[in-house]
Amino acid sequence: MGLFGSRSRRKGIPNEPALLAAAAENPGGSVAEIDPTYIDDPNGYIPPEAIRGAWLVNSSGKLTGEYQENPRHGVPQDDFNKLTDPHHWLGWLGDDPATAVRKGIEESLRAQVADAVVEWIKILETPRFLTGGRRRSEDEQAILVTRAALAAPFALSVSTTQHGRSILLGVFSWAAVNLSRPEVRKDRHWFDLGVELDWAGEQLQERIYEIDGEDGTAER
């Protein structure tokens, strides 16, 4: 892991077996201190804010006593930068694509567990995007967008009354057709856990046409 910033020397070196074992496996590196307030499984996905800091390890795999605090430590926050940074056209998601995608993910979770509360969501990689359209006329160069889709890899924290907090990883996909005819627009979401973005991207090639319907009225 990368180092955070200013170093300090704490009084005494922790005598925690798990910490010492991790140090032995990372000579010359560092060992993160995870805040259990936000993370129940330190072996799963760890949002940056859940790291209190890092103990430095010498070349022999021993803790040096030096500690670097994480200035970002605190309540994990949403991060949709990788959704919006590519500057891909997302007008089909409205004025606030991040809010639209968050709502879509929440709806997918609540369809399974009604009282699910999403604590935070992070988009982990640049999503895969698909956009389809047709010329306005034979003589025009302008393209009329008729369908669009995305597959966004995520990590999130969700809590429910029955199961408590869970950290989930997967890919959220969204496809929409009839974009130039709002009155007959169709949207569909897919919430795939434990899958890779490459797989979801391949599925998106088919899914963007799955919602055409039997009547075949969706725009190409």
Side-chain angles (χ1 to χ4, degrees), residues 164-196:
R165 173 191 292 141
S166 299
I167 305 298
L168 306 180
L169 290 96
V171 179
F172 173 74
S173 300
W174 185 342
V177 301
N178 296 334
L179 295 179
S180 66
R181 301 166 58 199
E183 71 279 4
V184 290
R185 172 172 168 162
K186 296 179 182 179
D187 292 72
R188 183 176 295 178
H189 298 160
W190 293 266
F191 191 78
D192 299 302
L193 293 177
V195 303
E196 299 294 331

Side-chain angles (χ1 to χ4, degrees), residues 99 101-111 116-118 121:
T99 296
V101 169
R102 193 185 208 283
K103 182 178 179 181
I105 292 175
E106 289 177 329
E107 290 175 349
S108 297
L109 286 165
R110 288 172 183 162
V117 175
V118 177
I121 301 173

Side-chain angles (χ1 to χ4, degrees), residues 3 5 13 19 41 45 52 68 93 129 146 152 159 176 185:
L3 301 181
I13 295 177
L19 184 63
D41 179 10
Y45 173 80
R52 284 179 172 152
Q68 293 184 305
L93 294 175
F129 299 105
T146 58
S159 62
R185 172 172 168 162

Side-chain angles (χ1 to χ4, degrees), residues 138-166:
E138 292 297 328
D139 299 326
E140 294 183 1
Q141 295 298 316
I143 299 295
L144 185 67
V145 176
T146 58
R147 63 181 65 229
L150 63 80
F154 66 81
L156 64 81
S157 177
V158 59
S159 62
T160 66
T161 300
Q162 182 177 1
H163 301 290
R165 173 191 292 141
S166 299

Side-chain angles (χ1 to χ4, degrees), residues 42-92:
N43 297 314
Y45 173 80
I46 307 295
E49 300 95 330
I51 301 174
R52 284 179 172 152
W55 291 96
L56 302 189
V57 182
N58 65 22
S59 59
S60 299
K62 305 292 185 181
L63 296 177
T64 66
E66 288 185 288
Y67 185 84
Q68 293 184 305
E69 295 185 357
N70 177 12
R72 295 182 61 187
H73 174 235
V75 180
Q77 303 295 314
D78 286 353
D79 185 352
F80 285 86
N81 286 333
K82 287 185 172 60
L83 171 69
T84 55
D85 277 353
H87 301 296
H88 187 89
W89 180 74
L90 295 175
W92 62 283

